[in-house]
Each structure stands twice: as structure tokens, then as C-alpha cells.
Amino acid sequence: MADQKKMVEEITSMDVDFAKWYTDVVKKAELASYSGVRGCMVIRPYGTALWENIRDTLDAEFKRLGHENVMMPMFIPESLLQKEKDHVEGFAPEVAWVTHGGEEKLAERLCVRPTSETLFCDHYAQIIHSYRDLPKLYNQWCSVVRWEKTTRPFLRTMEFFWQEGHTMHETAQEALEETERMLNVYANFAEKCLAIPVIKGVKTDKEKFAGAEATYTIEALMHDGKALQSGTSHYFGDGFAKAFDIQFTGRDNKPQYPYQTSWGMSSRIIGAIIMTHGDDNGLVLPPAVAPTQVIIVPIAMHKEGVLEKAEELRERLSKFCRVKADTSDNSAGWKFAEYEMKGVPLRLEIGPKDIEKNQCVIVRRDNREKIFVSLDELETRIPELLQAVHDGLYEKALKRREEMTYTAKNLDEMKEIADNKPGFIKAMWCGDLACEEKLKEVVGVTSRCIPFEQEKISDVCVCCGKPADKMLYWGKAY
Amino acid sequence: MADQKKMVEEITSMDVDFAKWYTDVVKKAELASYSGVRGCMVIRPYGTALWENIRDTLDAEFKRLGHENVMMPMFIPESLLQKEKDHVEGFAPEVAWVTHGGEEKLAERLCVRPTSETLFCDHYAQIIHSYRDLPKLYNQWCSVVRWEKTTRPFLRTMEFFWQEGHTMHETAQEALEETERMLNVYANFAEKCLAIPVIKGVKTDKEKFAGAEATYTIEALMHDGKALQSGTSHYFGDGFAKAFDIQFTGRDNKPQYPYQTSWGMSSRIIGAIIMTHGDDNGLVLPPAVAPTQVIIVPIAMHKEGVLEKAEELRERLSKFCRVKADTSDNSAGWKFAEYEMKGVPLRLEIGPKDIEKNQCVIVRRDNREKIFVSLDELETRIPELLQAVHDGLYEKALKRREEMTYTAKNLDEMKEIADNKPGFIKAMWCGDLACEEKLKEVVGVTSRCIPFEQEKISDVCVCCGKPADKMLYWGKAY
């Protein structure tokens, strides 16, 4: 894949410059590179393989829950985008406009979809007539475009990849259950597959999605103490249905509006993986989605039988994990550094002495632990070690998040923490928008979410001191 | 999915109005529907599931042959599109232009990719430095946009879905081999998975891809006698490499230009499936890509044990094929018509009498043959029957193509055939563009390809009568 002769270059240390560390990892692990198009990435084979594993895992879960994929147009006519008032206000300032087709000026501008609620609603109006047509549980995998001023690979790009689920239900209750169900799908995926611990909660009105009645979110904490919204699930009520005149005949034979949800996870999650697990040697990938789970590195590979053994092991391991053998003529040391950079969870070393002893050396990427494993036990030991890497990553991330989560009871305390200690701040809030805005201005934090798991930090709002019964997570965020 | 109460409506007969039959099938089999965006489709769950099966099958074959997926930007800056002269001339008249981002007018227009040679070349210039970096075997799955005046679902739409492979090689020989290899991948896929017989050949200069040195193609013949180009593979030589200044250090330590290919198959192939196998009862799907291969219809389903048996069979069949059971309260007759419309290859009927006899009735979609099968033999009989449906479809399509393929030795003969007998016309050609243009004007046919399997129809060009040694397929085409 890469130039075989290239040297593995050092990357900037996290502690020296976290932002530089991040882009170094993206580039040197060959996840993505800049393109000639401002704000757009080229997602390279390694990054694409990672995204495909994320896609396939989530897609299987969506389908298991009864969802079906569709493919909608990438364009939205301006008049369609304008149908729902809050929605167009939220998105119009940041869309790309197509004004010409070939030589011809269009009668109506088309925007490149920033999200597809309007297209789904337009379609649902055509196909939903009776309660028997409900629920509609649709999803699509695509890319969307938002005209961002400043961009960073995966975290914020003009074009990004995602899935967007859009569902329609007979009752508000069913739609609310779906909203919560899909948030749990994201939370489980983050924790069980990506080893990223998340806080589940609901966004404040200020932070919710344009046009939604409620936005549920999972929030993760990155290495540098900044939060990253990692998946969202929205409840729309019947607002869009009314705007798009989607009506069905109910069980009582009367016309009704259906209740709607949408939910999405994007290629941003790759940024979350990098910034949750990565270290100064590069990427560290959670085994469940790593394109290569085990890299076999032959030692003293020109000695008789070593290459053959490496190939034999590759063949054998390929039956139960994603494995590659690097038999190129680069040095073993180069290979160690290269696959550490790429975050491969396990490295399997096999040399003449190992073969003699019927063993191999396995090195964990997460903690560099070196384990001698009998060649007779690979079928049981490797899955165990992949699980151990997953657990190790999760525990380390959870411990870090706990250490970086603070509580504040008043504005001074909160400012003191925000200025000196990166991380989440738990604090009470009265529910007043003015307080939320003041905290952003004075303390420099935004509300991340009102967590489902509440704690009582105090009786009063951290900002205004009036009675407050909601505890929120606050922080700086990507 | 659909309104459970809807009636299965009749579709227009093929013989009455083929174009209307086609759009009826697309709509009533719920493959796609029109969207509020001119020239763009909504691909519905059934059409998307079909496309996903096509994608996954091809993708596995690409990967087996060493290709890697990437994800490129959807936009191309105008200056980048202009780098290769023939290419920009071919595509500029039919692209969608983005001129504004939010409120801001862009300094340089961006086109929505009509194809991505320029983006791949821009990236390859960054990452190809040495012969050790070659070959690069990249592919991407995406949608592209071409500003078409008249559109038809799947066959010609402004936005369509496809994969585009773009590869770079050290030598012309290797690139030519790749071009041919990928054409064979498409031909095998068409014949072995889609049951569509194809003619493999090379396009004339007039019909080749903008910027290519040679375009290989597979051509299929539709029910109505029109040809459909079903996959193409292009050899570019080093033209793009020179235009984009992609150079590498060769084995001789000197700078060299790499040789390039690209190849694509699109959602058009769904149009080919419909128009090759469909009949007056609707869609007929080749088993290898059918979203549902077997539909179980319980008969007299309120009798004791029938529903349970249907569910038991569904569970059992799901281990070796894609199966559904329709236990809705629609009549069995409605269900028969519905799944015929949707082209499900096999229908399995199970009723009280069948259960008594430990058998079921299986009905083939392709020829309506009714077969009694012992419930003890489903694991062997169903795969056999799916294969039989595939073979039946392929043979029928091949026979029709053969019956609809004519030979012409002179212009009068050719015109007589073209005016009265829909299908392919095999005829000799001198190689002169003037003759090709005259045949289009006078006879109304275009050259489909110069087939790899040549035959000698005569010694002279069908048009000008001068010596000719190339036999071509000609026809009307989608």
C-alpha cells in the first residue's frame, strides 16, 4: 500500500500539540489526506475499510430492528428545504447551492443535501396513506455537505459520510420509543464495538437539532478533555408531518398526522476513535472495527521455514479474524513501528526460535504487553486477547473520563475548573436560556447534555443561583 | 412495506407499450419512485436491497482481485476538471455547478462529479513516487451526476449510483491486462449472477469514453430489441498521468508516467435486469441478487398448525437462502400476484393438506412450473431450483438474443432489418467515421462494439463497400 521504502516518521507528541498530533495520526496512519477540494478529504483505503466495518456493524443492527435502507436524491430544491421553518433557518446558511446544469441556469436552485428530512417527508407524503402503512423505518447511507468555514479531517469537513434514519409512527409514544431505542443502539455500539464510554442524555433547546422537539445524544470525552457529540437521535413530533401534509387514515377512520424521528452517526466517529484511544505512537484501533486485527511479522524471515510458517499462520487465522502477514523486505523494526502507527490491535511475531518451540510472541497494541502463546492455542487465545484489548481500551478511557469529570456549584468554581482542568463539568441548571448563554460567554463551555442518569450536585443553578433541579454535563467541545 | 389493503393492479402489457410496461414495473414492484427533484429517483427499499446485493457481490470480487475502496470528494473544482482536454470537453456540458456556499459566491465553481478520473489523478500525484507504489488498485462506490434532458428510472437519471475503479500501473501491458480482467469480471457477473448474456468487445473511437485510448464494453440485448451498455472498462494509456503530472521513479531509476485504467458498472444494470427478464406479470429477478429468493405463502392459514409450519419453514430456510413468509391477512391470490410482480424466484405454498402429506408446492417465477417437494428435501431441492431458475432465465435470454440478431451485407439490407426487426445487426465496417455517422443517420443505428469474437460476414463495409475486416454489432440503444 504505502511506499515500502518510506521511513516511519515520528509524530508530534500529544502533550506538545494535540491538534498537530491528531492531524499527524490521520496522515501517517493513512486514514485520509487532503484533497484539491477545500474542506473535503480523500478517505484512503485504510480509513475506508474502517468506515466499512463501522457501516456494516451498524447496518446489521438497524436491519435486525426492522429498518430498511433507501437511496434518496442528493439534491433538495430550495422550495422543499423551506417547507419547515426552523429547519431551513438552521441549514440554509450552510448549504452548497447548485445554480447551473451544464450551460443552463436553473429556474430553481438546488442545495446539496445537508440532511434529508425534507426529502424523506416529500416521499412519505406519497406512500403513507393508512395506519397499515406504519411504521416506516427507513435509513440511508450517504454523504452530506455543510459549508463549514474551518475544517479538520473527520471532525468537521464540508462533505462527510453518515447514515440518517428517518422513521414515521402511528403514535407519539412509538416515535419516542424509537428515538430512545436508536440512541441505545449508538451507545451500545460506541461502548461494545468502539470501546468508547459515552454519556446518554438530552440536548437543551438551544443545542437541539433544527426542527426537532427533542434531541437525544451520546457524548464522549476526548484525550484532551474536549467533548465530542458521537451520535444523535431526534424526536420530531408531528411538526414536519404537518409542514409536508403527511396524513394517514387512523384506526378510527379519521385523518391523522404521523410522528417522526431521525437519527444519525457520521464519519466523525472516526475522529472520536482516534482521540479516545490514540497515543504518541499513533492510532490504536478497537478490535471490533479494526481493518486488520492481527498483523503477522516474520522474524529473521530469510531463515528456512519462517516465511512458510508466517503464511501458514495467516491462512489459519483468517478463518476467525482479520489478519495480514507483512512479508515485505522492510526490517522487522520498521514493521513494528508501522503497525503501531496503524493501530493494529495485535502483532504476532514468528521467528526460527519460536518455530522450534512451537510458539509465537503476541504483542498488544494498547499496553505493549508481550505474551508467549503456544501455536496449538491460537484459536482460543487470539479471540481472548482481542477481547482483552477491547476491555483494556474501554477501561482506560472510562478511567480517564472519570478523572477528568468535575463538579461545580457556582460560577467562580466553574470558571476555575474550565480555565485549568480540561474535561466535563457537572453542574445544576435552572433551565433558563440566559444562563446557558452566560456560561458560554463567561466560562467558555456549552451544555453537552442533560444526562438520563441524574445526580444532585446542589439545589441551585450554577449560574444564577435560582432553584434548579436539572444536572447537566458542560464542557468545551469539538 | 406496502399498504396491505392495496389491490395488485394490472400493468401495461409489453406488447402494447414497452416503455409504459417498464415504468409500471419499476413503480408497482416498488423499486423506485419519482422524487420532487427533476430527473432524480427515490430508490425504495426493494430497489435498494437489490442494489446492495449487486454491490456486495461485485465488491467481494474486486477485493479478491486486490482492489481497495476509497471515498473521494463529490466536488471537482473547475480548474481540475479542465486538466485533461478530451475529458473536460466530454463532460463539461452535462455537469451540475455549485456556485454558492451559504450566502457566499465561490471564487471557483465546483462541479458535482460526473465521474472521478480527475480526483483520482490529483490524489495519485500525491501518493505515487516509486515503482514500489504500483500498482494502485482503487475503487469507490458513490453516486455521480450528469445533467440529462430526458430521464427514465435506472436507465438515465441525473444522479445515478455506481462503482468506479481507477487503477495505476507500471507498464502499459499491465494496465491493458487490468482493463480486460475487469471487463471479464463484469461479463461473468452479468452472466453468472444476473443471467444476462452479454457481448464483449471494444467501442469504436466515436463511442469511447472521453479521454480514454480504448473502451471495452459488455452489451446486452433487451426484450424490445434495444441494446444496453451494461459495464465498461477503459484503458487510458498515460494521457491523464501526463496531464496531472503523475510520475514515479522506475526500476531503472528514471522518472516515468504510469498507465491507467478505469471501469464502472452502475444502477443502470437494474434497468437491464428488468428489461431482460421481466414479463407481463412484472419483475423477474435472478436468484443470485434477488432480495427475497423464496416467499412462503401459507394456504388456509387460519387452519390449525399452518402458520406455525410456515414460520418453522422460514426459520429453516433462512439458514441457506433469503426467505420471507407472508402471514398478513391478504388473500393467497393477492399474495401470489404481489410476489410475481416483485419477481421473487420461488414461491413456496404450504397448506393443511400439504402438511398432512409432509410436502409443499414450489412454483417457479420464470416459467410458473409447479413442483411438489417433500419437506425432507428442502435443503437440497431449493438450491437446485434456484439454480434452475437462473439457468432458465439465462437460456431464455440467450435464445431471444440469438433470434433477434441479424446479419447485413449492404446498406439496403441493413435498413430493411433496422426498420422491421428490432435487435442486433452484425455487419462489416471499414473503420471510417463517416460510415459510422452515415449508418446512424440513414439506418438509425449506432455501433455497439467490435466484438472480441469476430466473424466474417463479408469482405466489404456494409456502408461504403470498401474493403473491411472488422465485424461490428450495431443497433438501437438505451
Side-chain angles (χ1 to χ4, degrees), chain A residues 47-87:
Chain A
T48 303
L50 178 57
W51 178 243
E52 286 179 350
N53 288 341
I54 291 169
R55 178 194 70 184
D56 291 348
T57 309
L58 278 175
D59 197 65
E61 182 63 5
F62 297 160
K63 284 176 176 157
R64 193 183 69 78
L65 294 171
H67 301 89
E68 300 178 293
N69 286 339
V70 296
M71 302 195 287
M72 288 280 164
M74 70 156 77
F75 298 125
I76 307 174
E78 189 162 15
S79 57
L80 194 63
L81 188 68
Q82 288 170 339
K83 276 202 172 179
E84 210 284 337
K85 202 182 114 292
D86 292 336
H87 191 69

Side-chain angles (χ1 to χ4, degrees), chain B residues 103-127:
Chain B
E103 301 296 309
E104 204 182 314
K105 190 172 181 200
L106 306 187
E108 181 181 15
R109 297 196 296 178
L110 303 173
C111 82
V112 182
R113 64 182 162 214
T115 179
S116 305
E117 276 73 10
T118 53
L119 293 163
F120 276 85
C121 284
D122 192 46
H123 181 57
Y124 281 143
Q126 290 175 38
I127 63 167

Side-chain angles (χ1 to χ4, degrees), chain A residues 1-5 33-38 40-49 51-52 55-56 59 63 68-77 80 92-104 106 109-110 112-113 119 122-123 126-127 129-130 132-133 136 138 141 143-145 147 149 158-159 161 324 329-330, chain B residues 1-5 33-38 40-49 51-52 55-56 59 63 68-77 80 92-104 106 109-110 112-113 119 122-123 126-127 129-130 132-133 136 138 141 143-145 147 149 158-159 161 324 329-330:
Chain A
M1 266 169 50
D3 183 338
Q4 305 284 308
K5 278 175 17 182
S33 69
Y34 291 100
S35 74
V37 192
R38 192 189 73 80
C40 295
M41 294 178 289
V42 172
I43 304 190
R44 301 188 66 182
Y46 199 57
T48 303
W51 178 243
E52 286 179 350
R55 178 194 70 184
D56 291 348
D59 197 65
K63 284 176 176 157
E68 300 178 293
N69 286 339
V70 296
M71 302 195 287
M72 288 280 164
M74 70 156 77
F75 298 125
I76 307 174
L80 194 63
E94 57 174 44
V95 297
W97 290 105
V98 173
T99 58
H100 288 74
E103 303 296 308
E104 202 181 314
L106 306 187
R109 299 196 297 179
L110 303 173
V112 181
R113 64 182 162 214
L119 293 163
D122 192 45
H123 181 58
Q126 288 174 39
I127 63 168
H129 307 295
S130 152
R132 288 163 171 268
D133 297 330
K136 286 283 181 225
Y138 285 1
W141 292 92
S143 72
V144 292
V145 169
W147 211 261
K149 297 284 173 196
M158 265 180 33
E159 180 184 8
F161 296 84
K324 283 197 173 170
D329 55 10
N330 290 300
Chain B
M1 269 169 46
D3 183 337
Q4 304 284 307
K5 277 176 16 184
S33 69
Y34 292 99
S35 74
V37 193
R38 193 190 73 80
C40 295
M41 293 177 291
V42 172
I43 304 189
R44 301 188 65 183
Y46 200 56
T48 302
W51 178 243
E52 286 179 350
R55 178 194 71 184
D56 292 347
D59 196 65
K63 284 177 175 157
E68 300 177 294
N69 286 340
V70 296
M71 301 194 288
M72 290 278 163
M74 70 155 78
F75 298 124
I76 307 174
L80 193 65
E94 56 175 46
V95 296
W97 290 106
V98 173
T99 57
H100 290 73
E103 301 296 309
E104 204 182 314
L106 306 187
R109 297 196 296 178
L110 303 173
V112 182
R113 64 182 162 214
L119 293 163
D122 192 46
H123 181 57
Q126 290 175 38
I127 63 167
H129 307 295
S130 152
R132 290 164 172 268
D133 298 330
K136 284 283 182 227
Y138 285 3
W141 292 91
S143 70
V144 292
V145 170
W147 211 260
K149 296 284 173 195
M158 269 182 30
E159 179 184 10
F161 296 84
K324 284 196 172 171
D329 56 11
N330 290 298

Side-chain angles (χ1 to χ4, degrees), chain B residues 186-472:
Chain B
Y186 292 145
N188 283 334
F189 176 70
E191 302 198 331
K192 305 270 190 294
C193 293
L194 308 183
I196 300 177
V198 293
I199 308 286
K200 294 192 284 185
V202 59
K203 287 280 185 192
T204 61
D205 279 358
K206 180 176 182 296
E207 298 287 333
K208 76 184 186 191
F209 183 82
E213 284 199 11
T215 290
Y216 296 176
T217 178
I218 52 171
E219 300 282 327
L221 193 68
M222 303 297 99
H223 234 299
D224 62 345
K226 280 187 175 171
L228 191 130
Q229 174 183 306
S230 303
T232 49
S233 186
H234 314 291
Y235 171 67
F236 285 106
D238 57 5
F240 272 91
K242 283 178 175 159
F244 284 79
D245 197 26
I246 306 168
Q247 286 202 61
F248 67 95
T249 307
R251 288 169 202 270
D252 57 2
N253 227 19
K254 287 181 190 155
Q256 293 177 27
Y257 293 106
Y259 296 83
Q260 187 174 357
T261 83
S262 83
W263 27 273
M265 185 175 265
S266 79
S267 42
R268 244 194 153 198
I269 200 73
I270 293 178
I273 293 171
I274 299 167
M275 293 195 296
T276 301
H277 303 308
D279 62 25
D280 281 348
N281 296 309
L283 199 60
V284 181
L285 290 178
V289 295
T292 303
Q293 295 172 314
V294 181
I295 181 74
I296 298 176
V297 178
I299 307 294
M301 68 177 185
H302 299 299
K303 292 270 171 73
E304 202 191 317
V306 174
L307 274 181
E308 290 74 6
K309 196 68 180 179
E311 175 50 33
E312 178 199 316
L313 290 175
R314 193 201 59 73
E315 175 69 28
R316 193 173 138 198
L317 267 60
S318 70
K319 298 200 172 71
F320 61 92
C321 68
R322 294 186 290 274
V323 59
K324 284 196 172 171
D326 185 344
T327 54
S328 70
D329 56 11
N330 290 298
S331 70
W334 183 93
K335 292 175 190 174
F336 292 179
E338 170 71 6
Y339 298 103
E340 288 207 339
M341 176 71 75
K342 293 207 155 171
V344 176
L346 298 177
R347 176 174 82 228
L348 187 156
E349 304 169 12
I350 182 90
K353 282 182 195 157
D354 300 310
I355 297 172
E356 226 169 78
K357 295 185 193 162
N358 192 44
Q359 71 176 27
C360 65
V361 177
I362 294 183
V363 181
R364 282 172 59 168
R365 172 63 181 93
D366 61 323
N367 61 8
R368 292 193 156 174
E369 195 190 339
K370 206 166 171 169
I371 304 132
F372 291 89
V373 174
S374 157
L375 294 184
D376 298 334
E377 291 171 1
L378 294 172
E379 276 73 8
T380 53
R381 291 293 284 139
I382 285 177
E384 280 169 21
L385 285 168
L386 288 171
Q387 185 61 47
V389 171
H390 172 90
D391 294 344
L393 290 176
Y394 182 79
E395 279 152 30
K396 207 196 287 185
L398 184 61
K399 184 158 174 282
R400 194 173 59 237
R401 186 186 79 191
E402 282 168 355
E403 286 168 1
M404 294 174 94
T405 300
Y406 306 90
T407 56
K409 290 186 178 160
N410 57 51
L411 201 56
D412 286 345
E413 253 182 52
M414 196 166 184
K415 186 150 172 53
E416 165 70 20
I417 296 167
D419 288 349
N420 300 297
K421 297 171 180 164
F424 278 137
I425 305 171
K426 296 193 284 192
M428 306 302 288
W429 178 56
C430 62
D432 198 337
L433 176 62
C435 287
E436 196 177 356
E437 283 175 342
K438 188 172 172 188
L439 289 175
K440 185 168 182 187
E441 199 191 308
V442 176
V443 183
V445 294
T446 53
S447 72
R448 303 318 309 149
C449 70
I450 309 165
F452 295 144
E453 271 187 38
Q454 283 284 311
E455 290 166 58
K456 189 168 169 179
I457 309 286
S458 86
D459 292 316
V460 296
C461 176
V462 70
C463 185
C464 66
K466 285 182 195 157
D469 61 0
K470 285 194 191 77
M471 188 274 281
L472 270 68

